[in-house]
């Protein structure tokens, strides 16, 4: 059993990435804003007990996630039972980290507004991938810069094809 939180990025070599409607995930919403399909990004709360006051989540590059699945299939051939592994980076990125990184690596300026918190949002949520590293020999390698760059490159190609 594999648990993970926010898959991001794309595999540009394979020509696959995220592009669907309706959308509620942060990085695709950032891309829609960069494409002019939205006016701005709405940030829900700036008073969380995090370094910049916005929610923190674990993001994992889809290429790392795919490699984690391959490692899990290899392990499944050797064991019985159903162990559970967290696939993630082991640390989180805030909403503003995502927005600022996307803007920096893609040289795009985006607007955002800050509104009230959403009910039930946790301040910080991220994986502990240590068991996956120990038992599967797997560890996330891609950076947030790569996630933001790869996701945007895929979307630009996708838009050019339309």
């Amino acid at each position: 059993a594999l648990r993970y939180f926010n898959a991001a990025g794309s595999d540009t070599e394979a020509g696959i990435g995220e592009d669907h409607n309706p959308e509620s995930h942060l990085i695709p919403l950032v891309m829609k804003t960069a494409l002019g399909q939205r006016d701005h990004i709405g940030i829900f709360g700036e008073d969380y007990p995090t370094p910049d006051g916005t929610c923190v989540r674990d993001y994992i590059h889809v290429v790392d996630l795919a490699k984690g699945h391959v490692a899990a299939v290899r392990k499944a051939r050797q064991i019985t039972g159903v162990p559970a592994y967290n696939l993630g980076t082991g640390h989180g990125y805030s909403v503003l980290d995502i927005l600022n990184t996307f803007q920096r690596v893609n040289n795009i300026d985006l607007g955002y507004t800050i509104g009230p918190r959403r009910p039930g949002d946790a301040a910080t949520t991220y994986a502990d991938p240590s068991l996956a590293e120990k038992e599967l020999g797997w560890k996330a390698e891609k950076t947030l810069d790569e996630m933001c760059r790869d996701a945007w490159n895929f979307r630009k190609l996708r838009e050019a094809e339309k």
Side-chain angles (χ1 to χ4, degrees):
L2 303 175
R3 294 184 294 238
Y4 45 91
F5 297 88
N6 299 287
S10 70
D11 185 341
T12 51
E13 288 181 27
I16 56 174
E18 186 172 20
D19 182 13
H20 54 82
N21 281 308
E23 185 54 72
S24 62
H25 296 108
L26 179 59
I27 291 178
L29 291 175
V30 168
M31 290 186 297
K32 285 181 178 282
T33 306
L35 290 166
Q37 297 171 355
R38 296 174 53 96
D39 293 334
H40 65 278
I41 299 296
I43 297 174
F44 299 106
E46 63 178 338
D47 60 347
Y48 288 92
T50 62
D52 66 20
T54 63
C55 289
V56 171
R57 300 290 181 264
D58 198 336
Y59 286 81
I60 181 172
H61 196 289
V62 294
V63 170
D64 284 332
L65 188 57
K67 290 177 180 180
H69 280 83
V70 170
V73 168
R74 287 188 180 129
K75 181 71 171 182
R77 293 177 181 161
Q78 304 167 1
I79 62 171
T80 58
V82 184
Y85 300 100
N86 293 325
L87 300 183
T89 62
H91 64 275
Y93 302 103
S94 75
V95 173
L96 286 176
D97 288 336
I98 299 290
L99 184 60
N100 292 332
T101 300
F102 184 89
Q103 292 180 110
R104 179 180 49 78
V105 301
N106 295 305
N107 197 29
I108 297 172
D109 290 322
L110 302 173
Y112 66 88
T113 60
I114 298 179
R117 289 183 182 196
R118 289 185 299 195
D121 272 352
T124 303
T125 306
Y126 57 91
D128 175 359
S130 58
L131 187 62
E133 184 174 5
K134 178 182 172 188
E135 293 188 6
L136 303 179
W138 173 90
K139 184 176 181 176
E141 298 172 350
K142 300 277 189 177
T143 66
L144 180 58
D145 283 20
E146 291 170 299
M147 285 182 240
C148 290
R149 186 178 303 115
D150 292 349
W152 181 235
N153 286 337
F154 172 78
R155 282 304 298 270
K156 286 189 304 186
L157 288 173
R158 186 73 171 251
E159 291 300 312
E161 293 171 355
K162 289 182 179 179

